[in-house]
Amino acid sequence: MFCAATGFAGTPKVGMGKFEAERLVPVEDAKRIKVHFNADTADALPWSFTPQQRFVSVLPGETSLAFYKAKNKSDKDIIGIATYNVTPDRIAPYFAKVECFCFEEQKLLAGEEVDMPLLFFIDRDVLDDPACRNLDDVVLSYTFFRARRNAQGHLEPDADDDVVQASQGFSGYDIAPRAEDRKKSEEKPSS
Amino acid sequence: MSFGRPPSISGGFSNSAPDRGSFPLDHYGECKQYMQSYLDCLRKNTNNSTPCRHLNKDYLECRMARGLMDRDDWRNLGLNEVRGAAESSSSVVKDNPKDKPNV
């Protein structure tokens, strides 16, 4: 359960270059996997956000580009921040993003439209996982939120925590309230 | 600790960040034509990625050349075996039509 939730199959390597070049070689005779693309925006975000291809059929180990398109339909500059989710859960440890538009703020000027690329691959170790044997289709979903600054001054999605967790595939999990929220309720004067 | 960084109090079980980070936005659409070539190729090949990978390389080369992506070794991007358009036109003797992907 823990592995599925975090997507870590083993000891995670952290930082740049965690994918050795040897991992990025297509397995030529393997069965192809279709990666489908979804896009969502939070209600509070007046952007249109769509995938530019419905799916890409890839080999394990083969890096591939995919594109989304986003447009700020409002008359104000807005900073957005994206979360993503990969289903089914069992593919998550093998789905790897080399580079994408997510996790950092993306500022779109009023009326601006921009293409957003992502470079990803499915690790070849998926072929050794019996749980993934009949896995032909994978869905990658991105959700864009309006960004806000938290108490530490860092940007985060401007939405309730359960909504953000759901966009990352964690709806239905019991999640403890964030430390900041727990502290707030503890500090409330009791009357 | 902020959203999207390594697991932290406010992140909870956050999904992992991309390895090489975030693509900066191509505000002026400088590489849009390369993206369009790739998308057209996908459509012609039932969205099969393999025959279109040389266009991945062209797109990423465009980004690198315009400071829209850190220059990186093609090996680190899984594209060293693929020959992009810029390389195909410059190599005369070694170019073997059999190596070109079917489009």
Side-chain angles (χ1 to χ4, degrees):
Chain A
M1 202 53 123
F2 178 80
C3 285
T6 59
F8 295 147
T11 313
K13 293 183 224 170
V14 189
M16 294 276 284
K18 67 179 183 243
F19 305 130
E20 292 114 6
E22 299 83 64
R23 306 235 52 91
L24 305 180
V25 178
V27 181
E28 303 278 341
D29 51 356
K31 191 177 52 146
R32 306 193 78 90
I33 297 173
K34 265 195 201 168
V35 180
H36 303 258
F37 301 97
N38 266 1
D40 276 312
T41 48
D43 290 339
L45 185 67
W47 286 12
S48 66
F49 177 53
T50 52
Q52 301 211 49
Q53 65 290 300
R54 296 168 134 262
F55 68 92
V56 180
S57 171
V58 301
L59 293 167
E62 182 183 63
T63 55
S64 184
L65 268 182
F67 289 90
Y68 282 78
K69 188 200 301 260
K71 181 174 175 141
N72 178 353
K73 297 184 293 184
S74 78
D75 57 0
K76 298 200 167 33
D77 302 346
I78 295 175
I79 299 176
I81 196 165
T83 64
Y84 85 98
N85 176 36
V86 178
T87 52
D89 280 351
R90 60 193 192 279
I91 193 76
Y94 307 103
F95 188 92
K97 301 185 309 303
V98 180
E99 195 155 348
C100 65
F101 55 84
C102 52
F103 279 90
E104 294 181 22
E105 61 260 30
Q106 304 289 345
K107 181 183 194 181
L108 288 191
L109 304 175
E112 183 178 15
E113 182 177 71
V114 80
D115 300 311
M116 292 173 157
L118 85 120
L119 185 67
F120 70 95
F121 72 104
I122 296 176
D123 195 285
R124 62 194 302 141
D125 283 352
V126 73
L127 298 169
D128 298 328
D129 186 342
C132 295
R133 189 169 292 139
N134 294 319
L135 202 150
D136 298 323
D137 296 273
V138 166
V139 183
L140 174 63
S141 303
Y142 275 97
T143 305
F144 251 110
F145 295 89
R146 191 188 280 268
R148 69 178 174 208
R149 292 211 179 270
N150 64 13
Q152 289 75 37
H154 297 121
L155 285 172
E156 63 177 18
D158 188 2
D160 288 341
D161 198 43
D162 59 340
V163 173
V164 177
Q165 296 292 351
S167 76
Q168 294 178 292
F170 296 133
S171 56
Y173 288 85
D174 279 335
I175 295 175
R178 300 182 306 169
E180 305 92 87
D181 298 336
R182 282 204 310 273
K183 276 190 101 185
K184 263 188 239 160
S185 56
E186 280 159 17
E187 282 164 13
K188 263 199 204 108
S190 49
S191 47
Chain B
M1 292 284 188
S2 58
F3 177 75
R5 305 297 188 260
S8 64
I9 295 167
S10 50
F13 292 136
S14 9
N15 285 325
S16 57
D19 178 42
R20 277 170 157 69
S22 188
F23 281 119
L25 291 183
D26 182 4
H27 286 284
Y28 303 107
E30 293 176 87
C31 298
K32 197 178 176 86
Q33 63 189 111
Y34 295 96
M35 176 196 77
Q36 209 49 62
S37 298
Y38 171 64
L39 294 175
D40 291 343
C41 176
L42 281 185
R43 260 172 238 129
K44 287 192 197 120
N45 286 278
T46 60
N47 284 25
N48 189 324
S49 64
T50 308
C52 303
R53 298 190 77 218
H54 62 299
L55 297 167
N56 281 357
K57 201 166 189 178
D58 290 347
Y59 176 79
L60 295 174
E61 174 58 43
C62 172
R63 274 197 164 246
M64 288 188 217
R66 284 160 183 73
L68 293 170
M69 179 178 179
D70 289 344
R71 182 149 290 281
D72 204 350
D73 211 307
W74 292 119
R75 271 171 50 85
N76 296 333
L77 299 169
L79 289 168
N80 54 309
E81 295 295 313
V82 174
R83 197 177 298 141
E87 293 157 306
S88 296
S89 53
S90 57
S91 70
V92 176
V93 176
K94 284 193 269 182
D95 207 32
N96 184 346
K98 287 204 198 118
D99 291 339
K100 284 209 172 62
N102 296 326
V103 174

